Amino acid sequence: MNSSAMTSFWLPFVVLGACLFPLAESPTHAGSHPSSKPVGHTLPTDTSNAGRLGTIVAGSTQPTLVSSQFKFTEGPAVDKQGNIFFTDQPNDKIWKYGTDGKLSVFLDKTGRSNGLYFDAQGNLLACADADNELWSISPTGKVTVLLRDVQQHKLNGPNDLWINPKTSGIYFTDPYYQRSYWSRQSPDIAGQKVYYLAKGKTEPVVVDEQVKQPNGIVGSPDGKYLYVADIGANKTYKYQINADGSLANRQLFVAQGSDGITLDNKGNLYLTGKGVMVYTPQGQKLAHIDVPAAWTANLCFGGKDRKTLFITASESIFTLPMKVKGVE
């Protein structure tokens, strides 16, 4: 989304915010230096958390537990019909949560997939960090490897991704989290960066190398803006997207990092960690959604009307009916 995404589920909780699958910019890659203050001014008139939640949540503000049968859930993505796909990375599976409320395994042996995102053709793109690759998975489960390395060097471990609907180019984060299933003990590439893979290209370019540990990533539906959560620095940035895919005018959107990240149709930004924190388009705290789990990893909007907030949290998945809806 995870985002995509945090993934060192087997580590003590004190490091989950940096490893469960969760990491400033050079003029060459991201324009001028970010502002030292988050953008934002206005808030709803009701200053209580319950009152603010009432502007976006339909009915009860308590998420509903769907299932706790997993080891660690991550990377939710929604298809055109509103079905939600998510990963159980320790068990190396991608699950489907259908609009009918039924759970089923979509794919076994997923390359340890983490962050997921659907392309316009209905293929499920996955950050498969068993071998540090980007995959495209067809609706029938056929796997095509989109990206194996960068200039003959292994990526750190692609974590989360977003596809620009205007250009079909892929932005992805590449933090380094040591995995028990890797033979290597150090990265091949110096630094933890944000990349852009243009449509039809086989080599990605760095669009921000001055982040500490980038994790969650999402863009606006008009393809003009990109949000990146630097969980290592506990910051989330907003960028302008240039026509060539490069980034400019990086601003500190909010002084909070995140594992997963998503947007609603009102422009509110949702960050994860200890529950879900919602920020207005101007970067002001709107509300906090309490999630009864040790760690909230990621989230997306799904359902036929895109008004169900789907939350992956530790060994569980939750849903929450919303007044707002996800962006197309």
Side-chain angles (χ1 to χ4, degrees):
M1 355 110 74
N2 296 239
S3 257
S4 137
M6 311 223 332
T7 312
S8 297
F9 22 74
W10 50 84
L11 295 181
F13 177 68
V14 291
V15 295
L16 288 182
C19 296
L20 242 147
F21 275 0
L23 103 185
E25 143 213 315
S26 68
T28 302
H29 296 122
S32 59
H33 291 287
S35 167
S36 60
K37 297 180 180 179
V39 296
H41 303 287
T42 60
L43 286 172
T45 53
D46 188 338
T47 57
S48 69
N49 187 64
R52 294 178 184 178
L53 275 176
T55 65
I56 58 174
V57 175
S60 172
T61 59
Q62 179 68 43
T64 298
L65 175 66
V66 176
S67 177
S68 291
Q69 63 183 285
F70 316 101
K71 192 168 182 180
F72 190 81
T73 56
E74 253 291 9
V78 60
D79 67 12
K80 291 180 180 179
Q81 290 73 44
N83 303 298
I84 298 166
F85 293 70
F86 64 97
T87 64
D88 183 2
Q89 198 191 35
N91 290 320
D92 202 14
K93 298 181 187 296
I94 295 177
W95 285 76
K96 175 184 176 181
Y97 177 67
T99 56
D100 58 2
K102 294 181 179 180
L103 278 169
S104 59
V105 174
F106 169 68
L107 187 68
D108 201 355
K109 306 302 181 185
T110 71
R112 299 283 185 173
S113 287
N114 190 358
L116 305 174
Y117 204 88
F118 277 95
D119 68 14
Q121 290 72 46
N123 301 304
L124 184 61
L125 272 59
C127 293
D129 85 349
D131 290 312
N132 313 294
E133 299 170 332
L134 289 184
W135 285 11
S136 175
I137 306 170
S138 75
T140 60
K142 180 181 178 180
V143 173
T144 300
V145 178
L146 298 179
L147 183 64
R148 295 185 185 276
D149 52 37
V150 177
Q151 297 178 351
Q152 300 182 332
H153 292 285
K154 279 284 186 185
L155 289 159
N156 289 330
N159 187 283
D160 203 359
L161 74 163
W162 175 74
I163 303 172
N164 189 324
K166 303 302 180 184
T167 66
S168 297
I170 304 167
Y171 292 90
F172 67 95
T173 56
D174 189 43
Y176 187 85
Y177 300 110
Q178 185 64 48
R179 307 301 186 198
S180 61
Y181 43 82
W182 289 347
S183 59
R184 64 173 176 166
Q185 297 297 312
S186 61
D188 289 354
I189 298 173
Q192 305 182 63
K193 305 169 185 177
V194 183
Y195 290 89
Y196 175 68
L197 181 64
K199 183 180 179 180
K201 300 294 183 180
T202 58
E203 189 79 14
V205 296
V206 176
V207 288
D208 195 349
E209 61 185 355
Q210 299 300 317
V211 282
K212 184 176 181 181
Q213 197 170 39
N215 197 306
I217 188 169
V218 73
S220 60
D222 58 9
K224 293 182 178 180
Y225 300 100
L226 185 72
Y227 297 86
V228 175
D230 185 348
I231 198 165
N234 199 30
K235 293 178 172 64
T236 296
Y237 296 107
K238 180 180 180 181
Y239 309 76
Q240 289 181 352
I241 299 176
N242 296 324
D244 62 357
S246 62
L247 303 178
N249 192 29
R250 184 175 78 163
Q251 296 182 8
L252 177 63
F253 182 76
V254 65
Q256 179 185 333
S258 184
D259 190 346
I261 185 171
T262 196
L263 285 165
D264 67 24
N265 65 326
K266 302 297 184 181
N268 298 312
L269 191 74
Y270 296 65
L271 304 182
T272 62
K274 290 297 292 181
V276 177
M277 185 66 76
V278 187
Y279 290 90
T280 69
Q282 296 78 31
Q284 292 286 344
K285 288 184 181 180
L286 176 60
H288 179 265
I289 300 170
D290 183 51
V291 179
W295 182 259
T296 301
N298 216 323
L299 72 177
C300 76
F301 284 85
K304 292 180 180 179
D305 58 3
R306 301 297 192 278
K307 286 189 174 182
T308 298
L309 186 64
F310 182 89
I311 303 167
T312 62
S314 301
E315 72 281 356
S316 305
I317 54 173
F318 297 85
T319 58
L320 185 64
M322 305 291 285
K323 293 178 180 177
V324 293
K325 60 187 296 186
V327 297
E328 297 298 331

